[in-house]
Amino acid sequence: MSSALLGDDADLLLRGGRIHTFDATDSVATAIAVRDGMIVATDAAAEALPAREIVQLDGRTAIPGLNDAHLHAAWLGARWPHLFFSDTPPEEQPTGRLVTTAGERRSALRRAWALLAELGITSYTEPGIGPGEDDGETGCFGTDMLESYVELHREGAQTSRVTLLRLFGTIDGESSLKDFAAGLPVPPPTTDPRWLAIPGVKIFADGIPPMATAWTSDPYPDGTTGHLLTRGDADPLSAFQQMIALAAGRGLQIAVHATGDRSIEEFLTALERAGETPPPPAPHHVVHGDLATPAQIRRAERLGVGFAVQPLIAAHTHSWAAVQLGEARVAAAWPLAEMLSSGALTTLTSDAPIATPDWRPSLDASLALLAADGRADDAATRRRLLRTMTADAAIQDGAATWKGTLELGRVADITVLDEDPCTPGRPFAALQVERTIVDGRTVFARG
Ligand SMILES: [Zn+2]
């Protein structure tokens, strides 16, 4: 079906290939026209508009720009090319202070943005920046970094749209109720939410299964069960519950790092106990969710809580986690098939620089996890995986009305690939990113 918004010309026309819109019916368009950064016409109506720039797809495939819903861009840019899961040997991994000056912070962000543009990533969530990290080891997560973000944002330097979550504790560490309660009322800087949205907070509930620090019901081989990282005058659980209640009461989006079934359970319970609160600007979500049980996935669905998961970390840490969890529990860890077949919002993310920000091996790792659950590599499965990084990630951003699909009135954030990613049987890793368009502007084109 061809349709158009008002207006009689276009800045940009994409034509001559397959365009997966990822709209509600997964329709495929043959052309789209863009004006002022917005999609204004599709198919024949798009072709009919005189356009200042024409991108001939020549049989290539366009999809909505990819959105990595959990990626530490400042840290990634500061560490690049060194990832935690990579060929870099431990003695060559960067340690200590990575960025000190404003120039270094800006360079780190710009480096990350250039890298993401090359990968076809047009949006991401920066999960956790704030005052608790002002004296942090790396310099990547403190208030200074937030200032660098805002500066570059106001200069119009971004080539990715960013959702930033504030952190009132330490990254991968403890947080105190006192600091959290003191930080929350401080208003975030004023920004254009289409480029730099700051809708909520990140809270670290626990650690990770391979380190025996995920908070679990069943003990690890040494008899421990992990524990909560939140601190207060009373016990860690009541500090955690009060943090959730405070943030929910302010109408903020809440993302909780929770890998163990106990911490996931208590997050959901704390949200229920928070009672009547203003609707959050974007869905609350569990980050990682490694040991989520089927009952918890159904409960999250009922509560409108999502999961931001990392299949590539699962692949990297599987045998390591098996030592702590045993083969039976590790077989039930990373329940991606269960999440995707539920109605709970699920996004596939990299957690870069832990794993590579390259979404292609991440989607191949997702196919492998699904295959272990008997799900076939077919076009429907591939579309489902790509939706988690486009339309569904936009839902997590609270931005589904204006980004994440290639429909009329949505922003023109578009990734062009050499071949159709929905064709089964071929690894995602074999795809080439040919062009990345953000807000109607090409931010990367292969040479
Ligand atoms: Zn993370």
Side-chain angles (χ1 to χ4, degrees):
M1 199 184 73
S2 155
S3 42
L5 298 177
L6 288 176
D8 52 15
D9 63 354
D11 300 324
L12 173 69
L13 172 69
L14 267 81
R15 62 183 305 277
R18 177 180 286 265
I19 301 169
H20 286 288
T21 65
F22 292 145
D23 65 4
T25 59
D26 277 332
S27 67
V28 175
T30 57
I32 47 180
V34 176
R35 189 188 314 120
D36 295 330
M38 186 199 283
I39 297 169
V40 292
T42 62
D43 298 307
E47 301 258 17
L49 293 178
R52 273 172 285 285
E53 184 189 357
I54 296 177
V55 171
Q56 292 287 355
L57 291 173
D58 289 328
R60 290 186 287 252
T61 298
I63 60 173
L66 293 152
N67 182 342
D68 190 326
H70 185 97
L71 170 147
H72 305 272
W75 198 20
L76 172 66
R79 287 180 58 94
W80 186 251
H82 303 292
L83 304 163
F84 285 88
F85 294 126
S86 67
D87 298 333
T88 306
E91 64 276 13
E92 282 171 34
Q93 289 281 0
T95 53
R97 198 84 184 167
L98 300 174
V99 287
T100 305
T101 65
E104 288 167 351
R105 286 187 291 274
R106 292 166 64 96
S107 301
L109 290 174
R110 285 181 180 277
R111 200 174 301 128
W113 292 342
L115 176 64
L116 298 178
E118 224 174 285
L119 292 170
I121 295 169
T122 60
S123 286
Y124 66 87
T125 291
E126 171 82 54
I129 290 201
E133 277 286 331
D134 284 352
D135 300 316
E137 183 189 337
T138 64
C140 294
F141 310 103
T143 314
D144 287 350
M145 189 57 86
L146 178 58
E147 278 166 20
S148 294
Y149 254 114
V150 172
E151 258 175 42
L152 288 167
H153 165 67
R154 290 184 181 151
E155 291 165 24
Q158 285 175 253
T159 53
S160 309
R161 301 180 194 275
V162 180
T163 299
L164 187 146
L165 300 172
R166 293 196 294 166
L167 174 71
F168 300 107
T170 53
I171 204 98
D172 285 315
E174 295 186 354
S175 55
S176 82
L177 176 58
K178 190 164 151 274
D179 293 344
F180 191 86
L184 221 50
V186 178
T190 305
T191 54
D192 173 357
R194 291 208 168 204
W195 286 97
L196 179 58
I198 310 179
V201 293
K202 169 81 182 284
I203 298 171
F204 282 87
D206 63 0
I208 55 172
M211 303 288 284
T213 49
W215 190 29
T216 58
S217 308
D218 294 326
Y220 298 106
D222 67 0
T224 62
T225 55
H227 54 77
L228 278 176
L229 292 168
T230 46
R231 298 289 174 264
D233 289 336
D235 57 300
L237 179 56
S238 66
F240 181 66
Q241 288 168 341
Q242 287 180 68
M243 287 180 190
I244 302 289
L246 283 171
R250 286 187 167 269
L252 298 175
Q253 181 186 34
I254 306 170
V256 170
H257 169 119
T259 63
D261 61 320
R262 288 289 297 281
S263 46
I264 296 165
E265 188 74 17
E266 293 299 349
F267 176 32
L268 300 175
T269 300
L271 284 172
E272 278 179 341
R273 287 172 53 126
E276 278 290 300
T277 54
H284 305 312
H285 55 279
V286 174
V287 177
H288 309 304
D290 303 28
L291 297 174
T293 66
Q296 288 171 342
I297 294 168
R298 287 192 299 274
R299 192 173 170 211
E301 179 186 355
R302 272 199 313 279
L303 293 170
V305 173
F307 293 92
V309 300
Q310 299 76 28
L312 209 47
I313 296 185
H316 281 298
T317 61
H318 185 275
S319 52
W320 189 21
V323 175
Q324 294 298 344
L325 298 172
E327 283 300 335
R329 277 163 82 201
V330 94
W334 307 293
L336 181 63
E338 203 104 36
M339 288 172 181
L340 291 180
S341 55
S342 78
L345 175 67
T346 306
T347 58
L348 296 176
T349 83
S350 68
D351 204 7
I354 305 299
T356 173
D358 189 339
W359 53 278
R360 294 166 292 187
S362 167
L363 294 197
D364 284 328
S366 306
L367 283 175
L369 272 176
L370 295 177
D373 262 299
R375 192 149 162 182
D377 173 8
D378 54 23
T381 299
R382 284 173 171 249
R383 274 198 301 272
R384 183 74 188 84
L385 293 180
L386 287 162
R387 287 187 79 90
T388 68
M389 295 201 67
T390 54
D392 295 346
I395 295 174
Q396 186 188 296
D397 286 336
T401 55
W402 59 270
K403 72 173 183 182
T405 62
L406 300 180
E407 295 176 80
L408 287 187
R410 302 294 203 277
V411 291
D413 294 355
I414 305 165
T415 300
V416 179
L417 303 169
D418 61 341
E419 293 184 46
D420 189 342
C422 299
T423 305
R426 204 167 41 208
F428 283 104
L431 296 165
Q432 288 264 20
V433 176
E434 297 283 341
R435 183 185 287 262
T436 307
I437 297 168
V438 180
D439 211 43
R441 188 166 65 91
T442 294
V443 296
F444 168 77
R446 183 161 300 284

